[in-house]
Amino acid sequence: MPVDPKTIQIFLPDGEPRGVRIAEITTRIVQAIQVPRTKFDRFFCRPEADQVGLYFLFGLSADSIKPAVYIGQTEDLRQRLKNYNANKEFWTSAVVVVSRTQSFTQAHIRYLEWLSIGKAKEAGRYEIDNGNAGAKPFVPEPMEADVLDAFETMETLLATLGFPVFEPPAGKPSEQQQREVFFCRGPQADGRGSLVEDGFVVYAGSLCRRQIAPSAAAKLQPWLTELQESGVLVPYNGDQSRVSQDYIATSPSYGAAMVLARTANGWQEWKREDGATLHELYRAKVESL
């Protein structure tokens, strides 16, 4: 498939790898600035804090197994983020998106906010802390083209910084077509999944055994209960659960445990339709190099 190479520069203004990080594609005007909540004083001293911009607040939701994000826009980044620092609990890191040429207007960022909330909800990777995104803002056609171009750059920069908020758990459609599908089967269990960059995705529609093996109850019960309460696992056919949405398990073994309701070695349990295991196709191949 065709590739679209890019050069992305990440600048550490304080020299700290886990401090403020400024990312940009060297030929574009969009900057994404990651600010840990503990480093806001550093960001507030920078000129970007005085700009019009879009912001993303990332953290963990108490009510969901997914990471959470709040998406907003403002003409006064410093004051808005000060307010959220005082009043919003869940987030631990912010990413601010601004124009290097200070060319964003309120019309630009209102449209970017609307588009970002919609695309993030469509992807389903994060729990969206916003309410309704509202109606599509009107912008002239040339401005809409500029905003869509800025969104594409912003999407790349956010993923590069570790926040793939617009990417579905199984990846973009072009990536999904390339992924090998593996199966995990057992009593009352028939799972489908693929190895992805940040774990193992168990596909929506997979059927999972509902009754946990007694030997694994202490380890798996809290996690599987959380999956049920958050709606990822829904009751199906009495002794089974169905996966309601693509779910990224942290490893193939957790993906297999989710399907089989017992502890499992996912590298051996997940098999291609021809019987080849995940281990044979990925780990053993690398070990032989």
Side-chain angles (χ1 to χ4, degrees):
M1 64 174 289
V3 295
D4 183 17
K6 298 176 178 68
T7 297
I8 296 177
Q9 173 179 283
I10 298 180
F11 174 56
L12 311 178
D14 302 315
E16 298 179 13
R18 300 184 68 187
V20 176
R21 301 197 294 165
I22 303 174
E24 60 188 49
I25 296 177
T26 52
T27 56
R28 302 294 182 91
I29 67 167
V30 176
Q31 281 184 327
I33 306 168
Q34 182 184 356
V35 188
R37 193 167 187 167
T38 56
K39 306 289 185 183
F40 261 16
D41 56 330
R42 312 277 181 88
F43 175 68
F44 291 152
C45 294
R46 297 190 57 81
E48 294 91 350
D50 297 315
Q51 291 192 39
V52 170
L54 191 72
Y55 58 89
F56 298 77
L57 306 179
F58 292 100
L60 295 174
S61 170
D63 303 322
S64 175
I65 59 167
K66 297 179 183 178
V69 62
Y70 181 88
I71 304 170
Q73 51 81 21
T74 180
E75 294 184 83
D76 187 345
L77 282 166
R78 179 182 286 104
Q79 190 55 51
R80 182 63 59 85
L81 292 176
K82 281 184 178 179
N83 291 343
Y84 282 134
N85 192 38
N87 300 314
K88 253 193 187 306
E89 292 293 333
F90 79 90
W91 62 281
T92 57
S93 189
V95 176
V96 171
V97 178
V98 298
S99 165
R100 285 197 292 142
T101 58
Q102 300 188 34
S103 55
F104 282 169
T105 66
Q106 178 142 27
H108 286 97
I109 61 173
R110 286 182 62 241
Y111 194 102
L112 275 173
E113 177 192 40
W114 170 81
L115 183 62
S116 296
I117 293 171
K119 291 291 188 181
K121 286 182 176 179
E122 183 181 320
R125 182 183 283 262
Y126 284 73
E127 187 73 20
I128 312 303
D129 195 59
N130 298 70
N132 195 298
K136 179 181 180 180
F138 171 78
V139 295
E141 188 175 359
M143 182 181 286
E144 183 176 35
D146 288 343
V147 171
L148 293 175
D149 184 68
F151 177 85
E152 182 181 334
T153 303
M154 179 180 73
E155 178 181 16
T156 299
L157 294 177
L158 280 163
T160 300
L161 290 170
F163 303 102
V165 64
F166 304 119
E167 184 176 318
K172 298 175 182 178
S174 59
E175 296 169 337
Q176 293 174 22
Q177 293 171 7
Q178 299 178 67
R179 298 198 192 282
E180 288 189 290
V181 176
F182 291 84
F183 300 86
C184 180
R185 294 180 171 125
Q188 292 86 49
D190 188 0
R192 296 171 58 253
S194 294
L195 195 65
V196 294
E197 287 75 8
D198 40 3
F200 191 91
V201 61
V202 180
Y203 289 123
S206 294
L207 298 179
C208 306
R209 180 182 172 89
R210 198 164 187 187
Q211 185 175 353
I212 302 173
S215 60
K219 180 178 181 180
L220 297 181
Q221 185 71 68
W223 174 54
L224 293 178
T225 297
E226 196 174 3
L227 289 173
Q228 292 163 1
E229 291 176 348
S230 63
V232 173
L233 289 177
V234 296
Y236 179 85
N237 198 26
D239 54 1
Q240 293 175 300
S241 295
R242 181 176 59 82
V243 180
S244 66
Q245 56 194 266
D246 291 348
Y247 173 76
I248 298 179
T250 54
S251 69
S253 293
Y254 267 97
M258 175 181 174
V259 172
L260 300 172
R262 60 172 172 80
T263 54
N265 180 346
W267 292 95
Q268 298 294 342
E269 297 285 359
W270 290 102
K271 299 177 182 179
R272 203 167 58 183
E273 196 66 82
D274 62 5
T277 67
L278 193 64
H279 169 78
E280 291 168 342
L281 292 167
Y282 285 90
R283 291 205 298 200
K285 182 167 40 175
V286 172
E287 290 167 1
S288 66
L289 294 177

